[in-house]
Amino acid sequence: MTKFIPRSSRIVPLSRIVPLSRRCLWAAGAVSTIVLLTACSSQSTPVSSASAASSASSASASAAATSPSAPISAAAESSATPSAQSAVKKLVAGFPTTVLPLMPDATIQASSLEHNTDVSMASMTASVTASSADVLAYYTKSLTSQGFEAQPGDAVDGVPLKTFVRAQGQEIATVSIVQSASTATFTIGATLLPASFR
């Protein structure tokens, strides 16, 4: 007789979890972007419902596959400092525009900044009439000129995404893009050391 093992108690091989870690980060960022854009006024270019559904399903799948890390995330959230800020349709005060400049002719949709003891996290979402290749080219030139090293790959699951690293991996910047007709809506986020804010 075969013993039935409930799905929740099955062991997921580590080889299936590790490759999904980058996709999980992207999916979480994409879902956050969609939520922020939805909250913005109707003047902004809407992201298609297909993209939203795809991102949401990717995030759900990734979250399910990486559920063993949930206690760590909860612990990290509980230790967050009260220095987090966010803004809609503008950059928050103190945003590191030298490191993360707004692409020319782009319209800011939302931004956030959180300072912690060792590192700070900054992100912004904006839209521009350009191709995803143009957005990636702009930020690749901007970030590599500041000492970031572009990591291999320009997309995850067919969605334009590029990661950059400097300071021996202590600083990481990621650019992700959703293309809708001639409009590219992009999110650039980074984990930065205090020196990047001086």
Side-chain angles (χ1 to χ4, degrees), residues 119-186:
V119 295
S120 295
M121 290 161 283
S123 69
M124 70 170 157
T125 298
S127 58
V128 64
T129 302
S131 68
S132 56
D134 290 340
V135 175
L136 281 181
Y138 173 80
Y139 282 105
T140 296
K141 182 177 180 181
S142 174
L143 291 167
T144 54
S145 71
Q146 299 178 68
F148 282 89
E149 292 181 18
Q151 300 303 293
D154 290 338
V156 173
D157 290 342
V159 176
L161 182 142
K162 189 77 177 168
T163 301
F164 304 85
V165 177
R166 77 174 178 184
Q168 298 176 337
Q170 296 180 80
E171 293 190 312
I172 301 171
T174 303
V175 182
S176 61
I177 307 153
V178 175
Q179 189 78 41
S180 178
S182 61
T183 300
T185 299
F186 62 91

Side-chain angles (χ1 to χ4, degrees), residues 67 105 126 149:
S67 59
D105 300 321
E149 292 181 18

Side-chain angles (χ1 to χ4, degrees), residues 26 28-37 40 85-114 120-128 135 138-140 142-143 146 160-162 172-178 184-192 197:
W26 171 82
V31 170
S32 298
T33 301
I34 292 164
V35 170
L36 284 171
L37 289 175
C40 294
Q85 310 171 55
S86 61
V88 175
K89 296 289 186 182
K90 64 180 181 179
L91 291 175
V92 296
F95 192 88
T97 52
T98 301
V99 180
L100 304 176
L102 179 62
M103 184 176 177
D105 300 321
T107 302
I108 188 77
Q109 302 295 334
S111 64
S112 66
L113 178 62
E114 181 179 342
S120 295
M121 290 161 283
S123 69
M124 70 170 157
T125 298
S127 58
V128 64
V135 175
Y138 173 80
Y139 282 105
T140 296
S142 174
L143 291 167
Q146 299 178 68
L161 182 142
K162 189 77 177 168
I172 301 171
T174 303
V175 182
S176 61
I177 307 153
V178 175
T185 299
F186 62 91
T187 297
I188 179 166
T191 300
L192 301 170
F197 289 84

Side-chain angles (χ1 to χ4, degrees), residues 72-88:
I72 296 172
S73 298
E77 287 178 16
S78 66
S79 64
T81 62
S83 65
Q85 310 171 55
S86 61
V88 175

Side-chain angles (χ1 to χ4, degrees), residues 36-91:
L36 284 171
L37 289 175
T38 303
C40 294
S41 71
S42 59
Q43 295 176 1
S44 62
T45 303
V47 177
S48 71
S49 57
S51 298
S54 173
S55 298
S57 63
S58 297
S60 298
S62 299
T66 57
S67 59
S69 65
I72 296 172
S73 298
E77 287 178 16
S78 66
S79 64
T81 62
S83 65
Q85 310 171 55
S86 61
V88 175
K89 296 289 186 182
K90 64 180 181 179
L91 291 175

